[in-house]
Amino acid sequence: DADVTQTPRNRITKTGKRIMLECSQTKGHDRMYWYRQDPGLGLQLIYYSFDVKDINKGEISDGYSVSRQAQAKFSLSLESAIPNQTALYFCATSDSRQRSFEQYFGPGTRLTVT
Amino acid sequence: GDSVTQMEGPVTLSEEAFLTINCTYTATGYPSLFWYVQYPGEGLQLLLKATKADDKGSNKGFEATYRKETTSFHLEKGSVQVSDSAVYFCALKGGSYIPTFGRGTSLIVHP
């Protein structure tokens, strides 16, 4: 079973719709992240959370919001989707107890906004 | 702030060729360094890491050495296979609370 899961894996939605992407992990990690990947731009950090009560904006948080419902769950919402939010979205986790802070990624959600 | 620069791709090689993907970084202190790999249709997964100067990370025939004097962490493999075709990301974790990633380098290996 995958340690970091994302739902849905693919989603097509229309401009102006609200959409939620969900991430769950069974690794017991305290830190969770949402990234966006566009061709040629690498990974851009949207939001990150170091525990349930700690949520922080990343470099491209405008147009997005998040909720950390439990240590194992971190959701990303697009309040009113627009076409330039079409991208691949990844959730990741890390363990603050690990000195090297390596991250573990989910399989991604491919979002298309028409 | 922290930054990572890696060579632009795509890198196109024939099977059994030698691979080098360059990565240099800027960071204060002594960051941990990583290479992640992203196979088609999948998320990133850790390929190898090094946590202090002169450490060599290795996995699946890939190697990278933490060179503080040149602030580099170049990825190498002696003989690539078609199955190595993927996007490779160099990353660091320094004093910032969050990791910093390079833009990724696409590797295409032909039979």
Side-chain angles (χ1 to χ4, degrees):
Chain A
D1 287 340
D3 293 328
V4 184
T5 58
Q6 293 183 234
T7 56
R9 293 294 312 278
N10 289 281
R11 180 71 183 266
I12 300 173
T13 192
K14 294 185 183 297
T15 297
K17 293 292 188 181
R18 184 177 190 274
I19 183 170
M20 179 181 290
L21 308 183
E22 298 186 342
C23 176
S24 294
Q25 54 113 347
T26 58
K27 301 188 75 66
H29 290 174
D30 52 341
R31 299 183 172 189
M32 298 186 75
Y33 312 78
W34 275 105
Y35 289 94
R36 168 178 171 157
Q37 185 179 30
D38 296 278
L41 293 180
L43 295 177
Q44 296 175 280
L45 183 64
I46 307 172
Y47 272 94
Y48 62 102
S49 170
F50 283 175
D51 67 37
V52 174
K53 296 181 180 179
D54 179 66
I55 292 178
N56 305 278
K57 292 182 178 180
E59 55 191 308
I60 58 161
S61 59
D62 287 350
Y64 301 94
S65 63
V66 292
S67 173
R68 185 87 183 261
Q69 301 95 323
Q71 187 182 44
K73 296 184 182 296
F74 193 36
S75 300
L76 175 72
S77 293
L78 285 67
E79 300 302 324
S80 179
I82 57 176
N84 77 359
Q85 291 177 314
T86 293
L88 195 51
Y89 290 85
F90 288 103
C91 174
T93 72
S94 67
D95 186 345
S96 62
R97 295 167 298 180
Q98 286 185 350
R99 181 178 176 275
S100 61
F101 293 100
E102 61 203 65
Q103 291 178 300
Y104 297 81
F105 286 79
T109 294
R110 184 169 296 280
L111 177 66
T112 303
V113 184
T114 63
Chain B
D2 297 345
S3 67
V4 174
T5 302
Q6 57 182 109
M7 60 190 293
E8 290 190 19
V11 173
T12 304
L13 296 172
S14 296
E15 204 165 27
E16 299 184 1
F18 184 85
L19 168 71
T20 299
I21 299 178
N22 291 335
C23 172
T24 56
Y25 68 90
T26 302
T28 56
Y30 297 88
S32 294
L33 301 174
F34 309 89
W35 277 102
Y36 288 85
V37 59
Q38 182 183 26
Y39 298 106
E42 298 183 11
L44 283 71
Q45 56 186 272
L46 182 68
L47 180 60
L48 53 84
K49 67 181 180 184
T51 58
K52 60 182 187 295
D54 300 324
D55 268 2
K56 177 184 285 187
S58 61
N59 186 26
K60 299 181 180 180
F62 291 89
E63 294 182 339
T65 301
Y66 189 144
R67 301 286 189 199
K68 188 160 180 66
E69 64 276 14
T70 55
T71 61
S72 65
F73 193 55
H74 304 322
L75 182 68
E76 296 182 337
K77 187 175 185 182
S79 176
V80 294
Q81 306 300 311
V82 172
S83 57
D84 293 327
S85 297
V87 181
Y88 293 82
F89 291 89
C90 184
L92 72 81
K93 173 65 177 69
S96 171
Y97 290 119
I98 56 175
T100 300
F101 284 83
R103 291 193 169 192
T105 301
S106 175
L107 170 65
I108 301 169
V109 181
H110 293 294

